[in-house]
Amino acid sequence: MQAYRQIETIWGMESAKIIAALTRMLRDVALAEDFAHDALVAALERWQDTGIPDNPGAWLMMTAKRRAIDYLRRIRLRDRKYTEVARNTDWHTEVHELYTGEDTIEDDLLRLIFMTCHPILSREARVALTLRLLCGLTTEEIARSFLSAESAVAQRIVRAKRTLKEKDVPFEVPEGDELQERLATVLEVIYLMFNEGYSATSGKEWVRPLLCQEALRLGRMLAAIAPGEPEAHGLVALMELQSSRLKTRVGRDGQPILLMDQNRAQWDHLLIRRGLAALERSRAISRTPGPYALQAAISACHAQAPTASETNWPRIAALYEALALTAPSPVVELNRAVAIAMAFGPAFGLQIIDNLEEQSSLDGYHLLPSVRGDMLARLGRHEEARIAFQYAASLTRNERERTLLLSRAEECEWEASR
């Protein structure tokens, strides 16, 4: 069981790079994903007996590529395909560099994002497919992030892969108008990728720091490619500022630590400075902030508050008001409710929550009853809060978050019995 968990962790770290490299070879996203999973199955079968190799990522990459090359042989396209592969990839050099720790394929991930964000696909298909390939999310997890049916998301992903193959979409970072056309979706995908790392949808850990780091790296690359795009800098600012808190989001036992309870002295102040600088770059380009710049401004309020009690909640509430006008959504409204509750009292925030509960779009979204429970507890309505926290715990798929919510339910039960 321990070996299986280690392999699962390794796969989460390496799968996106492997799929990206195979897509460069095969120009077929569906086949790339299949061969990557073949390598995972081989690892599960072999490593149980031999143990995990010193460089498991290189082992997976080599195994996947060998199977891809075998496939090229079998379909009798050896001469043409091998010429193409030889022109674009030095197989032996690449394997050697993987073993020596040099990453020669880092740009493949960005190319893969631009490929799967091609405008030939619908916006929903682009985001779903990229989350599947880069974040390794299951269709169930993606459906939960979309607040959609799992079957609909699965069909979307299958159709998207087929369309990319049929239309022979190039594996490259576009330029000029074509770059601008795909930029908004690419930004959204990197944003969702970061969010999955910052607060994992499911699994045994609440945060996935490596996924956050990869999203931030891709965001920095994108800002360099599109230096005149204010929202590229806004997204980088948001991720820099949020990343500054990663080390304090969990305790030594892996349990979540909420924002108001974190040790701010341990926040990464270099990342905070980088985030504030990126936010200034975004503001210098455009005086009208977009959704990412607004969220970065909200995060900056937390970063610049010396203590939790000194947080400028009225300003945060105003920024969420602006965000609700710029990019309205039930989730933004939920966050606005939290800010209003902190700024003006839980009774005001609870009014917004009551309105949100009437919207079916948030059915099954665990953070809605979780936020409601917090506000009820602050109002001294502990029995109602206990019920809300228990309901939220039943909805989340993340084990750490479930433990936290059940713990809060127990605290409310104790308070109610006093």
Side-chain angles (χ1 to χ4, degrees):
M1 181 60 70
Q2 180 64 27
Y4 178 81
R5 289 179 179 173
Q6 288 178 318
I7 294 171
E8 186 179 37
T9 301
I10 292 165
W11 175 249
M13 294 165 55
E14 302 293 340
S15 60
K17 291 181 181 180
I18 295 169
I19 292 170
L22 292 177
T23 301
R24 170 159 50 85
M25 289 177 63
L26 300 166
R27 297 301 193 267
D28 188 325
V29 171
L31 276 178
E33 190 177 18
D34 287 344
F35 287 127
H37 281 102
D38 284 348
L40 173 61
V41 171
L44 289 168
E45 292 173 350
R46 183 168 178 179
W47 294 355
Q48 295 282 356
D49 298 325
T50 64
I52 296 174
D54 291 338
N55 194 330
W59 191 98
L60 287 166
M61 182 72 80
M62 283 193 298
T63 302
K65 283 190 171 183
R66 283 170 179 163
R67 295 187 181 217
I69 289 175
D70 286 343
Y71 165 80
L72 295 176
R73 287 187 181 128
R74 286 196 305 272
I75 62 173
R76 301 190 178 191
L77 291 176
R78 176 175 179 174
D79 290 342
R80 182 166 67 84
K81 286 292 186 180
Y82 272 9
T83 300
E84 181 180 346
V85 171
R87 192 165 53 239
N88 296 324
T89 304
D90 185 335
W91 161 252
H92 297 288
T93 300
E94 192 166 286
V95 171
H96 170 73
E97 287 170 342
L98 279 166
Y99 271 112
T100 57
E102 297 177 30
D103 189 0
T104 62
I105 61 168
E106 62 178 15
D107 290 353
D108 281 352
L109 291 171
L110 196 60
R111 294 189 189 103
L112 181 60
I113 293 177
F114 273 101
M115 181 183 185
T116 56
C117 288
H118 196 281
I120 200 170
L121 303 177
S122 69
R123 176 257 173 195
E124 292 80 6
R126 292 178 236 168
V127 175
L129 179 58
T130 312
L131 289 177
R132 169 77 175 178
L133 297 177
L134 270 81
C135 302
L137 268 64
T138 64
T139 51
E140 179 188 5
E141 291 166 343
I142 296 169
R144 287 174 65 81
S145 69
F146 272 115
L147 305 176
S148 302
E150 185 177 349
S151 58
V153 170
Q155 290 174 3
R156 234 176 257 155
I157 291 173
V158 171
R159 284 198 299 267
K161 292 177 184 176
R162 185 168 58 242
T163 301
L164 290 175
K165 180 180 180 181
E166 290 174 351
K167 300 299 183 181
D168 196 22
V169 173
F171 183 73
E172 64 184 14
V173 175
E175 298 178 354
D177 292 343
E178 195 176 352
L179 172 66
Q180 196 64 34
E181 187 178 13
R182 297 191 215 177
L183 200 54
T185 306
V186 173
L187 287 169
E188 181 180 10
V189 165
I190 294 174
Y191 170 70
L192 292 174
M193 180 180 178
F194 181 86
N195 283 348
E196 177 60 26
Y198 195 73
S199 183
T201 305
S202 62
K204 303 179 186 301
E205 302 302 329
W206 197 37
V207 297
R208 299 170 59 186
L210 291 176
L211 195 56
C212 288
Q213 290 171 17
E214 190 61 32
L216 179 53
R217 186 184 69 82
L218 291 170
R220 288 170 178 164
M221 289 173 62
L222 194 60
I225 292 170
E229 173 53 52
E231 278 290 80
H233 298 291
L235 178 58
V236 170
L238 174 61
M239 293 190 294
E240 300 273 15
L241 291 166
Q242 296 288 84
S243 294
S244 72
R245 306 201 293 259
L246 276 174
K247 293 180 181 178
T248 63
R249 277 177 59 75
V250 294
R252 292 184 178 179
D253 58 356
Q255 291 301 319
I257 301 176
L258 299 178
L259 174 63
M260 303 300 284
D261 300 323
Q262 291 171 16
N263 183 350
R264 298 183 177 222
Q266 294 181 0
W267 286 359
D268 190 323
H269 293 279
L270 174 60
L271 287 175
I272 290 174
R273 289 195 296 273
R274 291 182 65 126
L276 294 175
L279 183 57
E280 284 304 312
R281 283 194 292 274
S282 177
R283 288 170 173 166
I285 297 169
S286 174
R287 294 185 179 180
T288 305
Y292 301 121
L294 285 169
Q295 291 178 77
I298 291 167
S299 191
C301 289
H302 294 295
Q304 293 173 311
T307 65
S309 62
E310 294 176 87
T311 304
N312 190 345
W313 284 107
R315 173 163 170 74
I316 292 175
L319 287 167
Y320 270 119
E321 184 76 29
L323 183 60
L325 294 173
T326 304
S329 79
V331 174
V332 170
E333 194 68 4
L334 179 61
N335 284 309
R336 188 174 75 87
V338 172
I340 286 177
M342 295 298 295
F344 308 111
F348 292 98
L350 197 57
Q351 292 177 8
I352 299 174
I353 297 298
D354 289 339
N355 292 331
L356 283 172
E357 287 187 327
E358 297 175 2
Q359 299 182 23
S360 59
S361 59
L362 287 180
D363 285 349
Y365 187 57
H366 71 282
L367 289 180
L368 181 59
S370 173
V371 170
R372 180 179 178 80
D374 184 69
M375 293 181 186
L376 289 168
R378 290 173 59 196
L379 289 169
R381 295 160 62 177
H382 298 294
E383 179 58 23
E384 294 174 78
R386 179 190 66 80
I387 295 171
F389 283 130
Q390 286 185 332
Y391 180 50
S394 73
L395 295 175
T396 184
R397 296 294 180 268
N398 185 280
E399 294 182 19
R400 298 289 189 181
E401 195 166 26
R402 183 182 300 112
T403 300
L404 173 65
L405 290 166
L406 290 175
S407 174
R408 299 202 68 188
E410 289 178 5
E411 291 173 4
C412 290
E413 184 176 20
W414 184 82
E415 290 286 350
S417 65
R418 292 179 61 185

